[in-house]
Each structure stands twice: as C-alpha cells, then as structure tokens.
Amino acid sequence: MFMNELLVQKAATQFGNEPTAIKALGSGLIHHTYCVHYKNSPAMVLQAINKNTFKQPENIIQNYCIVQNYLSNSENSNAIAGLVTSKNGSYFWEDEAENFWRATLYFENSYAPENANSPAQAQAAANCFATFTKQLSGLDANKLYEIIPGFHNLAHRYQQFENAIKGAAIFRLMRATHVISELRNRHYLVDFYNRVTSDTAFKKRVMHHDCKPGNILFDASTHQAICPVDLDTVMPGYFFSDIGDMIRTMACTHNENSNEWEYINVNGDYYNAIMNGYLQGMKDSFTTAEIKHIHKAGLLMTYMQCLRFTTDFLNNDIYYKTTYPEQNLNRSLNQLIYLEQLEAFTAGL
C-alpha cells in the first residue's frame, strides 16, 4: 500500500522548508518511510507510523525524547538520529487522514544493510546494539512506556499458544501435532523466563527489541557502525531479547521462510561474532547470572517465534501474512529445526 503523494508532500513541508526531493527509503513492512531533502533545511527521514501496529504512537515519541535527552546529557555517548520539531512545535504531526508523522535527522553518507554480509558486519551490528543498551544503563527502564505490551513475554506467548490449541479446527490441530508436542516438551524455557522476570539477578533494561542489520546505520566510507535506528520498540526488557533475536535471525543458515529443512543449521562463525560483539559492547554491565545464561538467549527467542507462528497457524493465519496455505506451519517447523540445532550447538558452551 502506497501513501498518497500529496499527503507525503504536505507532511514534508511540516518539518522543513522547501522540499526539493522525496524518495521512498528502505524496505520496512510497518511504516511508510521517506528521505526528504530541502532547499533551506537539513535532510531528514520522514515516517508515517503505522497506527494499526502502534496504537499509541505518542508513546513512541515520548520514549524517544527520554532516550535522546539522556544520551545528550551523557559523556561519551553515541548520537542517535535527532527528532525534528514540526511547525506546530511538537515532534509529530497528524494530517487530515489521521496519519501520524514524525521526522528525524538524516545521516549523510550512510547505509543500513538488509542482511549481515559477513561475520564482521554481524559483530559490528551486535556491538552497536549492545553499546546502545550499555549507554542507557543509568536510565530507569520503568520510565519508558511498554510500546507493545507482552511483546517478548514468553509466558504470555505460551498462553496464547495453549488458547489457540483449544479453539483450533481439527484439521489444523492434526497437521500441527508434532510441533505442538515439541513445544510443550520445552516448557522449561517458559519456566526459565518466569525466573528471569522474578529474580533480581536479572535486570530490567532499556532494550531495542528489533535487532536486525537494517536497523544499524553504517558509514559508507569507513563501514563502521554509527548508531541504531528505528527506535519505535525501545522499551523495558531483559538480557535475552536483543542478542537472542540476532542469534535467531543472523546466525541461522536459512531465513524463517525456508523449507529446506535438511540445510537449516547454526552458522557458528556468525553465532560467535554476534556473541563476541554484544558482550564487548555490554562490557561489565551484565550480571553474573546473565553471563551464565547468555547462551539461552537464542533458545528463548527462537522458541518464542516458533510459538507465535504455530499460534497463528492454529488461529487461521490472522496475524502474519502468508502467500500459500500452511506457510505459518512451515515457518514453525523451520524455527523448531533451528531450535533443535541451537540446543545441540550450545550444549557444550
């Protein structure tokens, strides 16, 4: 779905003077994003925030302001893309169609890779995400809104899974029998998650919650990581979320839509690069308990995604887009196989 060009043009004029070029930016599936150059204002990234996904976009702006202000007042902190004030004096603008717009400054001579093209790039991305959390370690995470309630709440995701089983059509239940059984057999991961959230040995932290290479800006000349972007899901979380999702996505030999079951495995070079980069970025911020259980991070996030795909399949594919029947079930199998491979890979670590 494309935005009306007149609405985009009008939104651009709310954040700068005399736009000269507007270009669609990136391949994100949630927001409409544009790079806008102006005659008399700095270039910026303009976004229409998806209000179907983010029900209270004002909370995103509030969280961004808290993070931005904290980092700007901290020594040796990496700069993030600053919010731009609209002509009405706020950090957002709503058009007549109730689209919610915000803008951030554009980093010239930068790029965001779609995928990690080498272990070194994966390590740099992991280090940048970790540095972001490390630099916010003095900020009380409870000051931030929970943008998507229950987003990485494994106990909640498991309950959704069990509820879906109760209401599923018999055909879908029969097709998913193996996956359902394997997920139930790994309830120990839910138990561990409950321990994490109730034990003070595991700290609540400011986490990014959407750690992929495309959310890191790299300098086009030096190829060094600059800073994380797409801070919409920055909110309170626990140690496993960001590194776990990078292990789930970047350290797997095949993406979550692959049906080449026999080839799905852990890429050890990427796994170690992500782990090393993240731990280097966090430095001494992790607790003893978090370090001890760091290799559970990938297991937790892969298990959680397998639960979510299975739940959606049992609920008749109402959340994730599909292009063929049983795609969500195949995604579940994909994640289950990767989970099994991760279990074997991390058993001796």
Side-chain angles (χ1 to χ4, degrees):
M1 181 179 178
F2 296 95
M3 293 289 294
N4 180 292
E5 289 185 12
L6 292 177
L7 286 179
V8 178
Q9 180 77 22
K10 188 172 182 179
T13 63
Q14 302 302 311
F15 293 92
N17 297 313
E18 299 184 47
T20 58
I22 301 176
K23 180 182 178 181
L25 192 64
S27 58
L29 302 177
I30 305 298
H31 304 319
H32 295 280
T33 307
Y34 306 89
C35 178
V36 184
H37 284 86
Y38 295 89
K39 183 177 180 180
N40 295 307
S41 298
M44 61 190 66
V45 175
L46 177 70
Q47 283 188 314
I49 293 179
N50 187 326
K51 293 169 74 173
N52 291 322
T53 301
F54 299 97
K55 304 298 185 183
Q56 295 179 289
E58 298 90 346
N59 292 350
I60 292 175
I61 300 297
Q62 180 65 21
N63 279 4
Y64 204 118
C65 287
I66 292 172
V67 169
Q68 179 175 264
N69 291 339
Y70 183 86
L71 291 176
S72 66
N73 292 316
S74 301
E75 294 183 4
N76 302 317
S77 289
N78 294 341
I80 57 174
L83 286 168
V84 178
T85 306
S86 69
K87 291 181 178 178
N88 65 13
S90 69
Y91 285 125
F92 64 91
W93 178 75
E94 291 185 274
D95 63 27
E96 58 266 31
E98 298 186 353
N99 294 302
F100 189 99
W101 297 89
R102 60 96 185 273
T104 56
L105 291 175
Y106 176 71
F107 282 81
E108 299 287 356
N109 196 43
S110 66
Y111 68 97
E114 192 71 22
N115 300 295
N117 298 311
S118 67
Q121 193 172 60
Q123 180 164 335
N127 183 275
C128 193
F129 282 121
T131 299
F132 176 73
T133 290
K134 161 73 172 173
Q135 291 174 342
L136 293 168
S137 59
L139 175 62
D140 182 359
N142 291 314
K143 291 183 177 180
L144 300 180
Y145 286 102
E146 189 177 2
I147 299 299
I148 305 176
F151 189 44
H152 284 179
N153 184 327
L154 186 55
H156 171 64
R157 296 299 186 185
Y158 187 85
Q159 190 57 55
Q160 288 180 321
F161 161 72
E162 288 290 354
N163 291 343
I165 291 172
K166 294 175 184 176
I170 187 66
F171 168 76
R172 292 191 178 239
L173 280 174
M174 293 297 292
R175 296 291 295 145
T177 297
H178 172 67
V179 177
I180 290 171
S181 176
E182 291 299 317
L183 288 172
R184 282 176 163 169
N185 286 341
R186 289 170 172 80
H187 192 273
Y188 79 92
L189 289 169
V190 182
D191 295 335
F192 178 73
Y193 168 82
N194 288 331
R195 174 187 165 190
V196 167
T197 57
S198 61
D199 188 340
T200 56
F202 300 92
K203 292 180 61 176
K204 186 179 286 188
R205 305 174 181 278
V206 178
M207 309 297 291
H208 188 282
H209 286 100
D210 191 12
C211 293
K212 55 189 178 185
N215 282 338
I216 294 291
L217 284 185
F218 286 84
D219 186 289
S221 299
T222 66
H223 302 291
Q224 298 296 307
I226 301 171
C227 67
V229 293
D230 194 359
L231 307 185
D232 299 342
T233 52
V234 170
M235 55 185 168
Y238 291 92
F239 80 100
F240 63 84
S241 284
D242 288 358
I243 188 171
D245 213 24
M246 283 186 281
I247 289 168
R248 185 186 75 83
T249 55
M250 285 194 272
C252 187
T253 55
H254 288 63
N255 71 40
E256 62 195 20
N257 286 300
S258 174
N259 296 346
E260 297 182 277
W261 319 121
E262 65 272 30
Y263 299 114
I264 296 170
N265 211 329
V266 182
N267 186 315
D269 290 340
Y270 277 79
Y271 185 99
N272 292 328
I274 293 165
M275 191 65 65
N276 291 336
Y278 201 81
L279 290 176
Q280 288 166 6
M282 287 299 292
K283 296 185 172 27
D284 57 352
S285 289
F286 272 151
T287 67
T288 302
E290 289 166 337
I291 291 292
K292 178 181 178 180
H293 295 287
I294 193 67
H295 293 291
K296 286 190 174 71
L299 302 177
L300 289 165
M301 291 306 299
T302 305
Y303 178 71
M304 188 182 304
Q305 193 57 52
C306 189
L307 283 171
R308 295 182 67 186
F309 284 141
T310 308
T311 298
D312 201 34
F313 174 72
L314 295 174
N315 284 337
N316 300 312
D317 308 315
I318 58 177
Y319 185 81
Y320 292 107
K321 291 181 180 179
T322 58
T323 57
Y324 65 87
E326 299 195 7
Q327 185 173 12
N328 273 325
L329 180 60
N330 285 343
R331 288 165 172 160
S332 301
L333 287 168
N334 172 300
Q335 294 294 278
L336 178 60
I337 292 168
Y338 184 54
L339 178 59
E340 292 169 345
Q341 298 289 359
L342 269 178
E343 288 171 336
F345 181 83
T346 60
L349 298 178

